[in-house]
Amino acid sequence: FASPKRALVTLIEKGVAFETIPVDLMKGEHKQPAYLALQPFGTVPAVVDGDYKIFESRAVMRYVAEKYRSQGPDLLGKTVEDRGQVEQWLDVEATTYHPPLLNLTLHIMFASVMGFPSDEKLIKESEEKLAGVLDVYEAHLSKSKYLAGDFVSLADLAHLPFTDYLVGPIG
């Protein structure tokens, strides 16, 4: 799945050393007590940093970018206005871009593997919603080098995993 990739790309961009521990979702390892102690909703990713635990990919991204702010590129911006733009586009990704793309990913790429039928009506609706979202992005990015301004930010990185599906297998 793509969500852990958000955390991974942020760790890589910031140059943070990390260790990955595979969680086999198909075997239900994410629903076992040991994993649920790290991530009570049983989804990936979950991160342990010393005694600190954090889950949800976008929260992990923010944590890593803030904790290692002086290391690697500044993914949060230099001013409060920059940070506002980063947060705005992170929210757009989570609430407007991600939902239709997740539907497309699940119903085009994973339905048969996960044992449910593809919903053609939902695919069509999601394609239409995503097209409208991409129109807004196109207009915005015609005036801005990156989503939050003239710098690569968490907002850009958050889009990478599912955009990879969009331009690849779903394309």
Side-chain angles (χ1 to χ4, degrees), residues 23-25 27-40 42:
V23 177
D24 190 332
L25 302 179
K27 290 184 179 175
E29 290 178 0
H30 60 303
K31 300 297 183 185
Q32 298 303 311
Y35 189 78
L36 291 172
L38 299 174
Q39 211 306 9

Side-chain angles (χ1 to χ4, degrees), residues 27-154:
K27 290 184 179 175
E29 290 178 0
H30 60 303
K31 300 297 183 185
Q32 298 303 311
Y35 189 78
L36 291 172
L38 299 174
Q39 211 306 9
F41 298 104
T43 60
V44 292
V47 171
V48 177
D49 184 13
D51 292 334
Y52 183 70
K53 298 173 193 160
I54 187 167
F55 56 87
E56 293 300 329
S57 62
R58 292 171 195 87
V60 171
M61 292 177 78
R62 288 175 172 103
Y63 167 75
V64 169
E66 192 65 56
K67 180 171 181 177
Y68 298 96
R69 192 168 197 143
S70 64
Q71 184 174 319
D74 186 349
L75 300 173
L76 299 170
K78 296 183 184 351
T79 67
V80 70
E81 291 82 7
D82 288 347
R83 180 67 179 259
Q85 288 297 301
V86 171
E87 294 296 338
Q88 171 182 280
W89 287 100
L90 279 168
D91 285 353
V92 170
E93 185 275 331
T95 63
T96 309
Y97 178 79
H98 181 77
L101 194 46
L102 176 61
N103 286 337
L104 292 171
T105 301
L106 289 175
H107 286 268
I108 293 172
M109 291 180 59
F110 294 113
S112 62
V113 175
M114 296 176 75
F116 63 89
S118 290
D119 182 334
E120 293 302 320
K121 182 179 177 213
L122 181 62
I123 290 172
K124 182 171 176 33
E125 290 170 357
S126 296
E127 286 174 337
E128 290 169 1
K129 284 181 187 174
L130 185 60
V133 172
L134 292 175
D135 287 344
V136 172
Y137 278 60
E138 184 73 24
H140 176 71
L141 289 169
S142 72
K143 299 177 237 156
S144 179
K145 188 171 184 178
Y146 299 100
L147 289 171
D150 64 354
F151 62 100
V152 173
S153 74
L154 287 185

Side-chain angles (χ1 to χ4, degrees), residues 4-20 47 49 60-61 63-65 68 71 73 75 154 157:
K5 292 178 185 177
R6 285 190 198 97
L8 291 171
V9 73
T10 305
L11 289 161
I12 291 166
E13 280 295 309
K14 295 302 285 179
V16 177
F18 63 92
E19 172 189 2
T20 59
V47 171
D49 184 13
V60 171
M61 292 177 78
Y63 167 75
V64 169
Y68 298 96
Q71 184 174 319
L75 300 173
L154 287 185
L157 299 184

